[in-house]
Amino acid sequence: MAGAGKVYLVGAGPGDARLITLKGLECLEKADAVVYDRLANPSLLTRAKRGAEKIYVGKTVNRHTMKQEEINQLLVDLALSGKIVVRLKGGDPTIFGRVGEEAGLLRQHRIPYEIVPGITAAIAVPAYAGIPVTHRDIASSLSIITGHESQDKLDLSIDWAKLTQATGTLVFMMGLAKIGHISAQLINHGRPPETPVALIRWGTRAEQAVLIGTLEDIEQKVLAAKFESPAVIVVGEAVRQRELLKWAEDMPLFGARFLVTRSRSQASELVKQIEELGGETYEFPVIETVMPNPEYLHATAKDLEDLEQYDWVFFTSVNGVEYFFRHLDRLGKDIRALHAARIAAVGPATKEALRRYGIAAEELPGHFQAEGLFEAFDQQLLAGQKVLLARGNLARSWLAEVLQNRGLNVTDAVMYETVPTADEDDELLKLLEQGGIHAVTFTSSSTVTNLLSALSRMGVPDPVQALAGAAICCIGPVTAKTAAQAGLNVAVTAEESTIPSLVTGLCAWKQAQNLYNR
């Protein structure tokens, strides 16, 4: 038997993946096994290291995937096999998270463990609905109560008379199914029937929904709206602050979850902009860029051997820039060898990438075709000039052809290869099946073809149909054409082939959705 590993009992936060703590994230990134439940954001699983075992033990209202005793033993067994284990629990593990039982059995088996606190849904979910659970003028105390027990157990475990007379805010966790009984007991023990109540479903997530009522009418409103769990119940005068303080629903991309298919090394800019505007992202990189294979490497070394010969260098992507400089470093070359060459960048992102290396490139518009090229450099592209075209292995060949037809000598140098990733993701399949992906972002033709291939590889019989319920959003006309040819219905095509332009298109799409759903 291997030596005992270690277990981290980690609070995943209330739902928004960004609300996990830094320490919790560090634990995830080093775990050999992740044991997670229904309330932990599935996108957090993408932060686990490659090859980590992922075990779902979630519970729903009417079905338990695994009994608590079995979960306790599972943690012991995984640790005794020598693994670093993360038990990922929604909210904070010490607030109705049964962490005492799990830690207790670990202690019995002398297995080292740590409890990593998380942001509890009891305060974060109301905050995302614009409800501060304490307020200097109206709520100076807070009570957090489980509503998960049966009605009889609730009455045995809760002193309703004392609870009702407590000042401030009452927060019931997982009590939606008992909302009628909870309201009746509070009224019967002295709370006014007109006391405001807020129900917040899937707070901090894209599915967040809020239902406002009073103790007197909230049960009828739940039935009429078919409001479902999981939901946090907030009772008290603090609820009235919502109309003044609500903020999440007012963000441009609130309520939408975006599938980001870009390579993980490049996804951060798109993810950041979406999340800053209130959207939720789920990353499933379907491509990655790598150094070329030995055959390409040999050819590239030859292409870069005599840099002084080139009159022009064209960069068509940020990746082309980054890998070009990797090759220079690998070959011991000096960028000053290009002192006589004119350097052109396709689009502002590529130009900015060159600027970071101290090169002020001439910019071509990101959507340019042959006409745009000649409009920019018509009288300067001369027959006989030598051009270095730094590109990826899947880049379109038309630019080289246009330059060659003009009489220029083009060296078409492959700086990097774009390859499909091999990861599978059961959580993504669940989200697609449940309609949990509202939009899919594509930043290149290869992301389109590779996502469809990945879904097929994961057993989806009709990948195009699996994406039919999501808006297809493309960074430019070439990517949109590839998506359309594959059978996808394109909803957004960025005016410029840039991330900011794509995000602008996403906001316009979401605004149109909001108007349609009113």
Side-chain angles (χ1 to χ4, degrees), residues 252-420:
L253 295 180
F254 169 80
R257 182 178 294 110
F258 298 85
L259 180 63
V260 177
T261 58
R262 209 176 195 199
S263 65
R264 194 174 301 283
S265 62
Q266 288 190 302
S268 59
E269 181 186 358
L270 178 57
V271 168
K272 181 179 179 181
Q273 291 195 33
I274 289 174
E275 292 179 343
E276 283 182 347
L277 294 171
E280 184 176 330
T281 60
Y282 191 92
E283 293 185 60
F284 181 65
V286 297
I287 60 171
E288 60 182 351
T289 57
V290 297
M291 288 292 279
N293 64 44
E295 182 180 349
Y296 278 134
L297 275 179
H298 178 74
T300 302
K302 190 173 182 180
D303 295 336
L304 301 182
E305 188 174 10
D306 183 15
L307 291 173
E308 290 87 349
Q309 67 177 308
Y310 295 112
D311 302 294
W312 293 88
V313 182
F314 283 90
F315 291 94
T316 60
S317 69
V318 172
N319 279 331
V321 174
E322 301 296 339
Y323 279 90
F324 173 79
F325 280 94
R326 290 193 198 182
H327 285 288
L328 289 191
D329 183 61
R330 180 177 65 89
L331 298 170
K333 294 292 183 178
D334 191 326
I335 188 63
R336 288 175 292 183
L338 289 173
H339 65 88
R342 296 182 62 177
I343 299 178
V346 177
T350 308
K351 181 179 181 180
E352 175 61 21
L354 284 164
R355 189 199 64 77
R356 290 194 293 269
Y357 285 98
I359 297 174
E362 300 173 78
E363 182 184 344
L364 290 165
H367 58 274
F368 84 102
Q369 298 292 329
E371 296 80 2
L373 175 63
F374 294 135
E375 285 177 9
F377 303 117
D378 186 23
Q379 301 301 318
Q380 302 160 52
L381 292 168
L382 304 177
Q385 289 180 328
K386 293 184 177 181
V387 177
L388 177 66
L389 180 57
R391 67 177 186 88
N393 66 313
L394 298 182
R396 294 181 298 148
S397 62
W398 73 269
L399 178 54
E401 294 170 358
V402 166
L403 293 169
Q404 288 168 345
N405 290 338
R406 184 94 172 183
L408 285 82
N409 297 320
V410 178
T411 297
D412 203 359
V414 174
M415 298 289 117
Y416 63 95
E417 287 189 85
T418 300
V419 298

Side-chain angles (χ1 to χ4, degrees), residues 164 186-187 190-196 214-216 237:
T164 303
L186 291 176
I187 292 173
R191 279 278 172 128
E194 63 273 15
T195 301
T214 65
L215 288 176
E216 190 172 39
E237 293 302 312

Side-chain angles (χ1 to χ4, degrees), residues 162-206:
K162 290 183 178 178
L163 180 67
T164 303
Q165 298 305 315
T167 58
T169 307
L170 308 179
V171 176
F172 291 86
M173 308 289 288
M174 304 299 293
L176 185 62
K178 317 295 188 311
I179 186 62
H181 181 70
I182 291 170
S183 297
Q185 288 287 51
L186 291 176
I187 292 173
N188 291 340
H189 288 85
R191 279 278 172 128
E194 63 273 15
T195 301
V197 179
L199 305 183
I200 308 146
R201 181 178 187 270
W202 284 117
T204 80
R205 299 289 302 276

Side-chain angles (χ1 to χ4, degrees), residues 4 7 9 69 72-73 75-77 79-80 99-113:
V7 178
L9 304 161
E69 294 76 12
N72 302 344
Q73 188 61 49
L75 298 178
V76 169
D77 294 341
L80 288 177
V99 72
E101 298 168 53
E102 295 172 355
L105 192 62
L106 293 171
R107 175 59 64 90
Q108 288 180 31
H109 287 81
R110 300 176 182 268
I111 295 171
Y113 64 88

Side-chain angles (χ1 to χ4, degrees), residues 50-81:
R50 181 166 290 185
E53 186 179 4
K54 300 164 187 173
I55 306 170
Y56 178 65
V57 295
K59 305 169 185 178
T60 61
V61 175
N62 299 313
R63 178 175 64 89
H64 284 203
T65 299
M66 189 178 289
K67 293 180 179 179
Q68 184 62 48
E69 294 76 12
E70 295 171 331
I71 297 173
N72 302 344
Q73 188 61 49
L74 173 65
L75 298 178
V76 169
D77 294 341
L78 289 169
L80 288 177
S81 70

